[in-house]
Amino acid sequence: MVNVTADEIRSGLRNNEFILYYQPKASLITNRIVGAEALVRWRRPDGTILSPGAFVPLAERERLINRLTLQLLPQLIGDLVDHGLADQLCISFNVSTCDLEDPVLTHAILDAILTQRLPPAALELEITETQALQSGPEVLGNIRALSDAGIGLAMDDYGIGYSSMDTLSQWPFTTIKLDQGIVERMLDSPKNATIVRSSIRLAHELGLEVVAEGVETVSQHDFLVEAGCRIAQGFLLSRPLPLAEFKAFCAHPSHCRGLPVGLVHMAIVDHVQWRREMASYAIQRSSLPPDSPLRQTNTYPALCLTKCALGKWYAGEGLHFADLPMFRDLDAPHRGLHDVGARIVARIRAGAGPAEMAPLLHELKQVSVTLIRILEDLEDSGLEALFRLQSRATHH
């Protein structure tokens, strides 16, 4: 590790020696590059390139990190707008609570949206949970202003803090980044494997994106695919790259193999939850007096074919399997479920009691069994394809 001083960092700031590299993020569904993390590097006068670990901790202790962030932001905006990164990618940028204690950074980003044609969806800020917990109301206020403008917010190092659930509920996060330590240990530790799977499921239910950091091996990649993770970042894909090399890298498919088999399992769980909610609604409401106002409330699960969680998957990421006959076989039972659900709601509103509900609940269960069987067959087919790819990669 190179020893640097605070005065050298100040000199580097005066001479604009700090630059950005980009570490690609790949979709585990489409096999394409979907974004990157912008990471600072220090290009010294002698031509050496220093990684953040050599100077960022000192910059934070010396309260220079805010100057560094503000100096890098115009370079980032220029790369996004002038070099076309914003056209199809989302670039994440690390910030600290020091950067957000006053509105200077916030105003600079909002100004870039208004005057420099920066698409808000092209930028995501990363902040660690620990920093979020230690921040004051000014930081959260600035974050919310950026979030309201459409800027994304990622919780970095997810899984190593103490209050992740509470922080997720209070901050407008759009992404969680699984800490690379958990990703590294998940294949050797059942507990870490469970944390990864549960975190991916939690994010799915909250409508958050998940990025797995530090993916370095094919085995880690395949575990994440099977668990339903959508985006990977790490040395298996690429090290951080200078802008020109990153743009060239994006022109080619990633080393990650897109196969969203884990999302089939997500669809199964989504459906089971929908059926359980519908059954609970029917049982609870049918026990009420026939004239109870609660029977008329809209507290049942989504009845629109395209708005339920399974329907969104079927019309979206599930289309990866559209060529398989079993995927097309899902349409009829899916429609059947919604038909039974609509009849359940109509009968509840008409005052039906438990005895009248029993046949409809039985019918709901029978259609559900058919749907789950098809989804499980589809999942098995996806797993077979995944392991065939794994076997070919191993032998080559």
Side-chain angles (χ1 to χ4, degrees), residues 110-130:
L110 295 177
D111 181 70
I113 294 173
L114 293 174
T115 66
Q116 296 178 256
R117 309 183 312 280
L118 172 66
L123 180 61
E124 179 182 68
L125 301 183
E126 292 191 21
I127 188 169
T128 66
E129 182 201 5
T130 302

Side-chain angles (χ1 to χ4, degrees), residues 228-304:
C229 185
R230 288 177 168 86
I231 299 177
Q233 174 184 349
F235 287 176
L236 177 66
L237 177 64
S238 172
R239 295 176 178 272
L241 302 170
L243 176 63
E245 293 181 29
F246 172 67
K247 291 177 68 175
F249 187 87
C250 290
H252 304 284
S254 78
H255 298 297
C256 296
R257 303 185 303 276
L259 187 66
V261 61
L263 299 184
V264 181
H265 183 73
M266 292 286 186
I268 293 172
V269 177
D270 286 337
H271 161 65
V272 170
Q273 290 185 341
W274 184 94
R275 189 203 65 80
R276 184 178 61 189
E277 290 171 9
M278 182 59 74
S280 177
Y281 162 82
I283 293 169
Q284 290 182 19
R285 293 296 184 267
S286 65
S287 66
L288 297 172
D291 58 351
S292 172
L294 288 176
R295 286 177 174 266
Q296 307 305 319
T297 59
N298 298 329
T299 53
Y300 46 84
L303 288 177
C304 177

Side-chain angles (χ1 to χ4, degrees), residues 149-388:
I151 301 295
L153 179 66
M155 179 189 284
D156 200 9
D157 300 337
Y158 179 87
I160 63 173
Y162 296 99
S163 307
S164 295
M165 302 303 104
D166 187 51
T167 311
L168 282 174
S169 70
Q170 295 185 46
W171 286 61
F173 286 105
T174 54
T175 301
I176 60 174
K177 298 193 73 176
L178 295 176
D179 178 69
Q180 61 183 359
I182 292 176
V183 171
E184 181 182 2
R185 295 188 297 270
M186 66 187 181
L187 298 181
D188 301 317
S189 164
K191 288 184 178 179
N192 280 280
T194 298
I195 290 172
V196 169
R197 290 194 184 98
S198 300
S199 297
I200 293 170
R201 180 64 202 176
L202 174 67
H204 175 78
E205 295 206 21
L206 292 176
L208 305 179
E209 192 58 85
V210 178
V211 178
E213 293 187 286
V215 181
E216 298 184 354
T217 69
V218 172
S219 296
Q220 291 171 347
H221 164 275
D222 291 346
F223 178 95
L224 292 164
V225 169
E226 191 175 344
C229 185
R230 288 177 168 86
I231 299 177
Q233 174 184 349
F235 287 176
L236 177 66
L237 177 64
S238 172
R239 295 176 178 272
L241 302 170
L243 176 63
E245 293 181 29
F246 172 67
K247 291 177 68 175
F249 187 87
C250 290
H252 304 284
S254 78
H255 298 297
C256 296
R257 303 185 303 276
L259 187 66
V261 61
L263 299 184
V264 181
H265 183 73
M266 292 286 186
I268 293 172
V269 177
D270 286 337
H271 161 65
V272 170
Q273 290 185 341
W274 184 94
R275 189 203 65 80
R276 184 178 61 189
E277 290 171 9
M278 182 59 74
S280 177
Y281 162 82
I283 293 169
Q284 290 182 19
R285 293 296 184 267
S286 65
S287 66
L288 297 172
D291 58 351
S292 172
L294 288 176
R295 286 177 174 266
Q296 307 305 319
T297 59
N298 298 329
T299 53
Y300 46 84
L303 288 177
C304 177
L305 284 167
T306 59
K307 291 185 178 179
C308 70
L310 178 63
K312 291 177 181 177
W313 169 83
Y314 187 74
E317 292 158 334
L319 292 174
H320 179 91
F321 300 96
D323 292 338
L324 299 179
M326 65 187 75
F327 178 81
R328 297 189 289 273
D329 290 344
L330 289 169
D331 184 63
H334 183 214
R335 292 179 181 276
L337 278 170
H338 284 265
D339 174 68
V340 178
R343 283 186 279 138
I344 286 174
V345 171
R347 294 302 301 145
I348 289 295
R349 288 178 166 173
E356 295 175 77
M357 279 295 103
L360 284 174
L361 288 174
H362 178 73
E363 184 178 353
L364 184 75
K365 185 179 296 185
Q366 293 302 110
V367 180
S368 174
V369 168
T370 299
L371 184 69
I372 290 174
R373 177 184 55 77
I374 298 172
L375 283 169
E376 288 178 340
D377 288 344
L378 191 64
E379 182 182 31
D380 290 346
S381 176
L383 288 171
E384 290 172 2
L386 176 65
F387 293 132
R388 278 199 304 272

Side-chain angles (χ1 to χ4, degrees), residues 12-69:
L13 288 167
R14 287 193 300 270
N15 297 323
N16 294 309
E17 295 172 3
F18 296 95
I19 59 175
L20 289 173
Y21 275 34
Y22 294 92
Q23 185 169 33
K25 299 176 185 177
S27 168
L28 299 180
I29 299 169
T30 65
N31 199 35
R32 304 298 299 180
I33 304 303
V34 294
E37 180 178 357
L39 297 163
V40 63
R41 294 292 186 269
W42 187 356
R43 185 165 55 199
R44 305 289 292 273
D46 62 3
T48 59
I49 303 292
L50 295 187
S51 296
F55 58 90
V56 166
L58 178 59
E60 290 175 336
R61 291 195 298 271
E62 294 293 326
R63 304 291 289 182
L64 295 171
I65 198 69
N66 184 248
R67 286 179 58 188
L68 177 59
T69 300

